[in-house]
Amino acid sequence: MKGEGHTALFSNRDGIIAIEGPVKLQIMELLKDSSRSFDEIVKYTGKAKSTISVHLSDLKQNNLLEERIDPKDKRKKTYVMCSQYAACSQKPIVEHYHAALKKFTTTFDSERELLTSILHAVQSGFEAQGINHRPIMETIGQDVGIRVAENFTCTHLEGLFEEVADYWETHKLGYLSVPSYDPLAIQIDDCFVCKGAPDIGQKLCSFSEGLLQGIIYQKLNMQCNLVEIECHGNGDDHCLFVMQ
């Protein structure tokens, strides 16, 4: 969300709201994970209190954040996001999109290969238009993961991921393994999202990040932040997600 000349898109009850300006983006970045007090926001941004007050007022008017009474001290106020980070602007990346489109000039060997190529085209099509779609793809993945979790019965980490690995293989999503449980690291070979994608110097599996997070949240009642550190889109021969 950070950066000069950067635009971030947020979704709220009114629809999509575009936010520009480094200070507003700093505030939304800070509030992304938890509520914060006015003084914390001032300290984080390094701006004058009067400046922060103006930006907070603008963000409240756009229904992007809410002001609440601090439960620990009723004399103070805290601020919390009431919107969803959806996407942001980026420099258009057209090479990946052109490579994805070329695949449709040949016959596909399987339905899975066709569907994977369609997914590549959709994702890279957004990037070609200068839209970083990864935040909303992660959110959709989380929602899907919460539903997928209803297929599993185990409520401890090791047993759960034995079930998840079977599910991945059965539905041809790839071959999932867990090299480490502490810290949690999940590897996927033959990944349905990114296998066959060219090396564009970017990790491509935000949907899978969200999918795994949603499963963990639903079955273990645990919020987690899984981050992909290795991916076909970054020149690797597998995907690797680690707990942050």
Side-chain angles (χ1 to χ4, degrees), residues 1-8 21-22 25-26 29-30 32 44 85 88-89:
M1 270 193 265
K2 300 176 181 178
E4 296 278 351
H6 188 68
T7 300
L25 293 176
Q26 275 186 295
E29 178 78 27
L30 181 63
K32 185 172 63 174
Y44 180 76
Y85 180 35
C88 64
S89 62

Side-chain angles (χ1 to χ4, degrees), residues 186-204:
I186 301 167
Q187 180 169 319
I188 300 178
D189 293 281
D190 196 26
C191 174
F192 80 104
V193 174
C194 70
K195 185 184 178 183
D199 179 0
I200 59 168
Q202 284 194 2
K203 294 173 281 291
L204 302 172

Side-chain angles (χ1 to χ4, degrees), residues 175-219:
Y175 299 97
L176 185 148
S177 59
V178 183
S180 169
Y181 283 101
D182 187 16
L184 180 62
I186 301 167
Q187 180 169 319
I188 300 178
D189 293 281
D190 196 26
C191 174
F192 80 104
V193 174
C194 70
K195 185 184 178 183
D199 179 0
I200 59 168
Q202 284 194 2
K203 294 173 281 291
L204 302 172
C205 300
S206 296
F207 178 82
S208 295
E209 284 179 345
L211 189 59
L212 294 166
Q213 289 171 163
I215 291 170
I216 293 171
Y217 172 77
Q218 182 68 11
K219 296 307 296 184

Side-chain angles (χ1 to χ4, degrees), residues 26-27 30-31 34-47 49 52 56 70 76-79:
Q26 275 186 295
I27 294 172
L30 181 63
L31 298 180
S34 64
S35 61
R36 300 286 183 168
S37 69
F38 180 81
D39 289 340
E40 287 176 312
I41 296 171
V42 170
K43 182 178 179 180
Y44 180 76
T45 59
K47 300 298 181 181
K49 292 184 177 181
I52 296 304
L56 288 173
D70 189 336
K76 297 181 179 180
K77 297 175 181 178
T78 61
Y79 297 87

